């Protein structure tokens, strides 16, 4: 027999932890922006994001892509730790006990609430060993300098580190298509490094996401 | 009701800019209506809070045996029902119809899918909707109904085939 009182032992029911209007708190008079645990948040104005790109380009030129990618990797690794810590504290159970859809829902909501855009997982190629992540409306990509190649360097690094931590394997990430080049969404493919070389060639040739995925899947056959 | 969809709670609906002008007559009338009903809202909220456990337990006890077989689905569905009731009650208290909807959107449908709760959700919410009008006065239930329905929409409960449990269909201001 199910007793409702047993389910309400601590009267706390866990729900949508990262819901925007409860996650972000602010005291404008003090200039404070915090998350629901009291950790400080920082709002980045558009001009600062632009300035970071310009500054990096002036200082490091060609290398700025690599610098951003490495920053992304640091960000992704630390973000994974914080993300799991917050979810574990909130649900009072290890993150590993959450199902994949629950975990992804939390990640999607978290990404959105932090203003990084709409992220979603496409697991159609999972059996072939590839994970695809799609991000719409990314501010980092929107304000990036226009190049003839995808420019989500930060996200590429961040997703690579995040999902490497999650899977316990060293993954590599390649952005296949980019909003800055007219694509509807930014697509990122994750997998073992050796198997993603084909994807990098495909990106250089300007192939579409589906074409690149077909190449990737086809190489094992 | 003139509440726009996905609005905030009552005080947020007012534009608090005295340097521009006084609150308009229409806003004053919304505010007076709210303040006039506040005592009743507080009473209803307090009652729901007190009844919560017994009310939900009663709904659970009445479930057919086969609906109780999948314990994890049942437990999750009970938690979801309590959450929806709490959000609806708070939404009623602060006159924020879409409070539950805003906070639970995306999350709730994922849970329904992961835990396969739809069958139990349907039974629990149909009987919740039948019980609440018996526990609350007409005016209290009419204030609870919009936030409750807005949150329940996230569950995609199929419409009942017999119309006897829902005497009249009111025009809801769904968006």
């Amino acid at each position: 027999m199910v007793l409702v009182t047993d389910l309400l032992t601590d009267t706390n029911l866990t729900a949508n932890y990262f819901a925007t209007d409860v996650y972000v708190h602010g005291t404008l008079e003090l200039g404070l922006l915090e998350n629901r645990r009291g950790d400080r948040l920082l709002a980045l104005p558009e001009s600062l994001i632009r300035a970071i790109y310009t500054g990096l380009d002036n200082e490091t030129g060609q290398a700025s892509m690599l610098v951003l990618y490495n920053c992304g990797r640091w960000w992704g690794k630390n973000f994974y730790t914080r993300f799991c810590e917050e979810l574990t504290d909130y649900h009072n159970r290890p993150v590993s006990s959450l199902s994949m859809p629950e975990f992804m829902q939390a990640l999607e909501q978290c990404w959105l609430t932090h203003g990084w855009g709409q992220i979603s997982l496409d697991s159609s190629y999972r059996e072939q060993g590839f994970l695809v992540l799609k991000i719409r409306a990314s501010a980092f990509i929107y304000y990036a300098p226009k190049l003839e190649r995808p420019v989500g360097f930060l996200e590429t690094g961040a997703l690579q580190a995040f999902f490497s931590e999650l899977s316990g394997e060293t993954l590599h990430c390649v952005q296949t298509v980019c909003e800055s080049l007219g694509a509807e969404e930014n697509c990122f493919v994750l997998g073992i490094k050796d198997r993603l070389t084909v994807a990098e060639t495909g990106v250089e040739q300007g192939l579409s996401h589906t074409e690149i995925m077909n190449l990737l899947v086809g190489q094992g056959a | 009701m003139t509440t726009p969809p996905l609005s905030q709670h009552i005080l947020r609906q007012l534009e608090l800019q005295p340097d521009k002008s006084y609150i308009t007559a229409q806003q004053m009338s919304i505010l007076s209506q709210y303040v006039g009903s506040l005592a009743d809202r507080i009473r209803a909220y307090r009652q729901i809070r007190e009844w919560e456990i017994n009310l939900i337990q009663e709904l659970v006890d009445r479930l057919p045996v086969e609906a109780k077989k999948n314990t994890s689905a049942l437990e999750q569905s009970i938690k979801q029902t309590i959450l929806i009731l709490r959000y609806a009650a708070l939404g009623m208290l602060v006159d924020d119809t879409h409070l539950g909807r805003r906070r639970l959107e995306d999350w709730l449908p994922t849970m329904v899918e992961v835990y396969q709760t739809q069958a139990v959700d349907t039974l629990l919410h149909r009987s919740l909707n039948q019980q609440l009008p018996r526990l609350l006065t007409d005016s209290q239930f009419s204030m609870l109904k919009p936030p409750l329905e807005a949150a329940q929409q996230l569950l995609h409960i199929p419409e009942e085939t017999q119309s006897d449990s829902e005497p009249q269909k009111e025009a809801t201001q769904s968006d």
Side-chain angles (χ1 to χ4, degrees):
Chain A
M1 180 170 166
V2 172
L3 284 175
V4 176
T5 33
D6 293 344
L7 298 176
L8 285 177
T9 40
D10 58 357
T11 68
N12 254 335
L13 288 171
T14 53
N16 198 7
Y17 177 74
F18 292 102
T20 311
D21 60 346
V22 270
Y23 189 76
V24 182
H25 294 267
T27 316
L28 291 180
E29 288 82 356
L30 294 172
L32 269 182
L33 212 50
E34 294 176 338
N35 69 11
R36 60 192 286 182
R37 314 201 314 165
D39 300 334
R40 187 103 188 237
L41 297 176
L42 182 68
L44 300 182
E46 175 197 322
S47 46
L48 179 61
I49 298 181
R50 283 185 197 277
I52 290 173
Y53 280 118
T54 317
L56 266 177
D57 189 47
N58 285 341
E59 292 294 329
T60 61
Q62 278 283 307
S64 62
M65 296 183 244
L66 192 65
V67 173
L68 283 164
Y69 164 75
N70 281 323
C71 289
R73 282 172 55 201
W74 278 107
W75 170 34
K77 197 173 171 212
N78 292 322
F79 170 57
Y80 177 81
T81 311
R82 278 198 314 275
F83 179 76
C84 291
E85 204 178 275
E86 285 188 53
L87 276 185
T88 307
D89 284 357
Y90 179 67
H91 289 286
N92 209 7
R93 57 186 171 123
V95 169
S96 53
S97 71
L98 298 179
S99 68
M100 194 57 184
E102 279 177 271
F103 182 87
M104 277 311 295
Q105 188 280 328
L107 181 64
E108 283 166 22
Q109 183 70 61
C110 177
W111 207 269
L112 188 75
T113 294
H114 282 96
W116 304 329
Q118 288 173 285
I119 192 170
S120 61
L121 173 75
D122 170 2
S123 47
S124 338
Y125 303 94
R126 203 170 165 175
E127 290 198 356
Q128 287 93 343
F130 300 106
L131 270 186
V132 173
L133 283 133
K134 298 181 174 178
I135 300 176
R136 276 170 189 261
S138 157
F140 302 116
I141 288 174
Y142 190 80
Y143 297 117
K146 301 279 170 284
L147 300 175
E148 279 168 16
R149 50 151 300 147
V151 289
F153 309 110
L154 265 176
E155 276 108 332
T156 305
L159 293 175
Q160 175 178 321
F162 187 94
F163 283 90
S164 293
E165 292 289 322
L166 178 65
S167 65
E169 284 185 60
T170 313
L171 299 177
H172 190 63
C173 181
V174 173
Q175 185 180 5
T176 54
V177 290
C178 191
E179 280 175 333
S180 70
L181 296 172
E184 212 168 279
E185 47 198 356
N186 305 293
C187 298
F188 300 85
V189 56
L190 285 151
I192 306 291
K193 188 167 185 180
D194 294 345
R195 298 191 60 204
L196 282 179
T197 326
V198 189
E200 274 161 6
T201 321
V203 174
E204 280 163 27
Q205 292 166 350
L207 301 183
S208 72
H209 176 69
T210 320
E211 286 168 335
I212 294 174
M213 289 317 295
N214 288 341
L215 282 179
L216 282 175
V217 175
Q219 68 180 343
Chain B
M1 292 282 282
T2 49
T3 336
L6 299 180
S7 59
Q8 298 276 324
H9 63 74
I10 183 77
L11 289 173
R12 291 253 178 94
Q13 292 167 29
L14 302 176
E15 212 180 331
L16 297 177
Q17 294 193 28
D19 47 344
K20 265 174 137 181
S21 71
Y22 279 94
I23 290 171
T24 64
Q26 197 203 4
Q27 287 175 326
M28 282 298 281
S29 119
I30 296 173
L31 190 59
S32 330
Q33 263 178 26
Y34 174 71
V35 172
S37 63
L38 191 54
D40 209 18
R41 288 177 198 265
I42 292 175
R43 253 192 313 267
Y45 185 83
R46 200 176 280 144
Q47 270 165 344
I48 295 171
R49 195 182 64 179
E50 278 168 22
W51 291 331
E52 183 186 70
I53 291 180
N54 290 337
L55 170 66
I56 306 287
Q57 186 67 57
E58 214 181 301
L59 305 183
V60 175
D61 292 344
R62 280 192 202 167
L63 286 173
V65 188
E66 61 269 28
K68 298 186 194 175
K69 278 188 185 146
N70 183 345
T71 321
S72 72
L74 175 62
E75 290 187 356
Q76 179 64 26
S77 180
I78 295 171
K79 289 181 187 169
Q80 286 168 189
T81 308
I82 297 171
L83 266 178
I84 287 179
L85 184 61
R86 288 185 185 179
Y87 274 107
L90 189 61
M92 170 204 63
L93 187 64
V94 299
D95 196 22
D96 183 354
T97 309
H98 295 282
L99 177 74
R101 183 110 191 236
R102 274 202 314 274
R103 299 256 178 98
L104 303 176
E105 212 166 30
D106 297 335
W107 179 82
L108 196 52
T110 308
M111 293 300 122
V112 172
E113 210 186 306
V114 171
Y115 291 93
Q116 294 289 306
T117 60
Q118 195 172 36
V120 197
D121 288 339
T122 305
L123 294 170
L124 282 179
H125 283 271
R126 276 185 188 158
S127 80
L128 177 69
N129 292 352
Q130 284 171 1
Q131 281 304 306
L132 285 171
R134 290 180 197 156
L135 297 168
L136 299 167
T137 64
D138 287 352
S139 67
Q140 288 172 338
F141 185 65
S142 67
M143 294 186 292
L144 180 69
K145 204 177 169 200
L148 181 65
E149 281 181 348
Q152 283 175 336
Q153 274 174 13
L154 296 172
L155 295 171
H156 298 291
I157 292 171
E159 296 228 357
E160 262 183 292
T161 37
Q162 299 153 298
S163 53
D164 54 359
S165 56
E166 244 187 324
Q168 76 248 31
K169 254 197 144 179
E170 284 170 36
T172 50
Q173 17 155 263
S174 56
D175 38 349

